[in-house]
Amino acid sequence: MLRHSLRVRLLLPVLALALATVIATAIGLAVVQAHQVKADADASIKGQSVALQSLFSVTRSIMLERVHNSMRLLRQETDALGLPSSGPEVTVSGRQANELLFGNKPQANTFQVVDSVTSIMDGTATLFSASGDDFVRVSTNVKKDDGSRAIGTQLDPHGPAIAEIRKGLAFYGVVDILGNPYVTGYEPIYDGRNPKPIGIWYVGYKTDLESLDSVIGDSHVLDSGFVALFDSKGKLRFHSKTGATTDPAQIEKVSQEQPLDWSVDKQEVPGWGFTLVSAYPKSDINRIITRQTLWIGGLGLLVCLLLLGLQSVLIWNRVLQPVQRLTAVADQLSLGKWDNTIEEVKLKDEIGTLARAIARLSNSVRLAMERLSKR
């Protein structure tokens, strides 16, 4: 029977040891690989985040310098007209607001000052007039979606700029204007009599984020992860357009709900009010680990089979074949044939010891048979 074969009995321990080694190695490498894959994913997120944060920082720094220069020009233009003051109510695009005067020259519904500033410095400029607790655009070249000037619209009452203005402070930073991010500057206008601002000087530049859209669009994490950018109002601005997760609705859902089967990293973008989100499903790591574990296991089994083949050849040449020859000699000896050549007597191992014992036995039988034949 095969199970009683000496070769099988010799190879089974080797096979068991090899399989145990392969399994233990695969499990050990899977654990190490799990940590490595997660570390690589986290490093990828960190690297992409650092690059994007740096891009934001440089963009903001450059644009703020332009904003400060434009603000100086706007104030020079209005200072040249005379001192500021508040006038009677006027209608601005269907809304009532106080007239804003510089040197008794009304600015509501006129655009010479704001347009002269932007003709030199580009960007946008606005003169706000106080209307109760609100500030209304009475002169501006900020455009609405339909292309018309955004006069009659008010400064966001919940935004960061108005909070600083109400404190009597200037504000420089990124704000959302009519649904678009602008790098802006706001400075309060006083008439010298009223402790509250009668208006606001504004200049700003709409952020050109096409390069950012390209960078984020080409970014993803592992197979199914994504990178996304949300503005201060939680609106999804840019997101990955490569990888398995590109649907905006799914990206928004994962970013907001942060499900347990996803790893989600959120970072605030200083000075912008944006939120940078990087996320990937944990199943991506499990899939990579499974794939690599199977590859390692397959390679281990191949090595195991090669070792078994080599071991089988060695067992046959070094053990089984000599044992078979000695068995044949012993069988011949039992039949009275003692003139067999036993080459295994030259071996220095246990088989050589057995071969020499059989040779002595064969010689003893031969001598005994010779003595018996002489009687």
Side-chain angles (χ1 to χ4, degrees), residues 60 64 124 128 137 155-156 158-164 171-186 202-207 231-233 237 271-274:
R60 184 175 184 274
L64 276 178
T124 57
F128 289 89
R137 293 177 178 89
L155 180 62
D156 183 359
H158 305 294
I162 197 169
E164 296 301 306
F171 172 85
Y172 284 86
V174 180
V175 298
D176 183 280
I177 299 178
L178 304 178
N180 295 299
Y182 282 72
V183 179
T184 63
Y186 295 82
Y202 156 87
V203 291
Y205 291 85
K206 186 177 181 180
T207 53
D231 64 17
S232 58
K233 295 185 177 180
R237 287 287 180 179
W272 288 82
F274 292 169

Side-chain angles (χ1 to χ4, degrees), residues 95 128 134-137 150 152-157 178:
R95 175 172 180 154
F128 289 89
D134 297 325
F135 290 88
V136 179
R137 293 177 178 89
T153 59
Q154 71 179 58
L155 180 62
D156 183 359
L178 304 178

Side-chain angles (χ1 to χ4, degrees), residues 78-100:
T78 57
D79 289 347
L81 298 176
L83 295 175
S85 61
S86 182
E89 281 193 349
V90 293
T91 301
V92 185
S93 189
R95 175 172 180 154
Q96 295 299 112
N98 294 325
E99 178 67 83
L100 182 65

Side-chain angles (χ1 to χ4, degrees), residues 174-336:
V174 180
V175 298
D176 183 280
I177 299 178
L178 304 178
N180 295 299
Y182 282 72
V183 179
T184 63
Y186 295 82
E187 293 192 4
I189 302 173
Y190 294 97
D191 62 4
R193 300 184 300 273
N194 194 332
K196 291 184 178 180
I198 64 169
I200 302 173
W201 287 290
Y202 156 87
V203 291
Y205 291 85
K206 186 177 181 180
T207 53
D208 180 10
L209 301 177
E210 289 185 5
S211 59
L212 188 66
D213 184 21
S214 176
V215 172
I216 293 180
D218 293 337
S219 302
H220 65 277
V221 186
L222 299 180
D223 295 331
S224 308
F226 63 84
V227 178
L229 183 71
F230 293 83
D231 64 17
S232 58
K233 295 185 177 180
K235 178 181 178 181
L236 178 62
R237 287 287 180 179
F238 307 111
H239 61 86
S240 298
K241 296 180 176 62
T242 59
T245 306
T246 58
D247 178 44
Q250 184 180 3
I251 290 174
E252 289 181 349
K253 181 178 180 181
V254 170
S255 300
Q256 293 170 3
E257 298 180 2
Q258 300 186 47
L260 295 177
D261 58 343
W262 280 73
S263 178
V264 181
D265 177 75
K266 288 187 174 183
Q267 295 185 17
E268 298 299 320
V269 182
W272 288 82
F274 292 169
T275 301
L276 185 64
V277 179
S278 302
Y280 61 87
K282 295 176 182 178
S283 58
D284 270 9
I285 291 182
N286 296 333
R287 188 160 44 248
I288 293 173
I289 293 170
T290 300
R291 186 166 58 238
Q292 295 190 354
T293 300
L294 290 175
W295 184 85
I296 293 169
L299 182 61
L301 288 175
L302 178 61
V303 173
C304 181
L305 290 175
L306 291 174
L307 290 175
L308 283 175
L310 178 61
Q311 187 71 13
S312 179
V313 171
L314 291 174
I315 290 174
W316 171 253
N317 290 331
R318 298 295 181 86
V319 179
L320 297 181
Q321 199 172 44
V323 168
Q324 283 186 354
R325 285 197 293 265
L326 291 176
T327 301
V329 169
D331 187 56
Q332 292 293 317
L333 185 59
S334 68
L335 297 175

Side-chain angles (χ1 to χ4, degrees), residues 108-186:
N109 297 308
T110 63
F111 313 108
Q112 180 180 356
V113 171
V114 293
D115 287 349
S116 67
V117 170
T118 56
S119 66
I120 298 172
M121 300 297 295
D122 295 324
T124 57
T126 297
L127 295 173
F128 289 89
S129 176
S131 179
D133 290 332
D134 297 325
F135 290 88
V136 179
R137 293 177 178 89
V138 294
S139 178
T140 185
N141 48 33
V142 174
K143 300 296 179 63
K144 294 189 288 189
D145 290 339
D146 61 6
S148 63
R149 294 177 186 261
I151 55 173
T153 59
Q154 71 179 58
L155 180 62
D156 183 359
H158 305 294
I162 197 169
E164 296 301 306
I165 293 295
R166 284 171 177 166
K167 297 175 186 176
L169 303 174
F171 172 85
Y172 284 86
V174 180
V175 298
D176 183 280
I177 299 178
L178 304 178
N180 295 299
Y182 282 72
V183 179
T184 63
Y186 295 82

Side-chain angles (χ1 to χ4, degrees), residues 326-342 358-359 361-363 365-366 369:
L326 291 176
T327 301
V329 169
D331 187 56
Q332 292 293 317
L333 185 59
S334 68
L335 297 175
K337 298 178 181 179
W338 54 79
D339 55 346
N340 296 288
T341 302
I342 304 176
I358 292 176
L361 178 60
S362 176
N363 187 53
V365 171
R366 181 180 61 80
M369 293 301 293

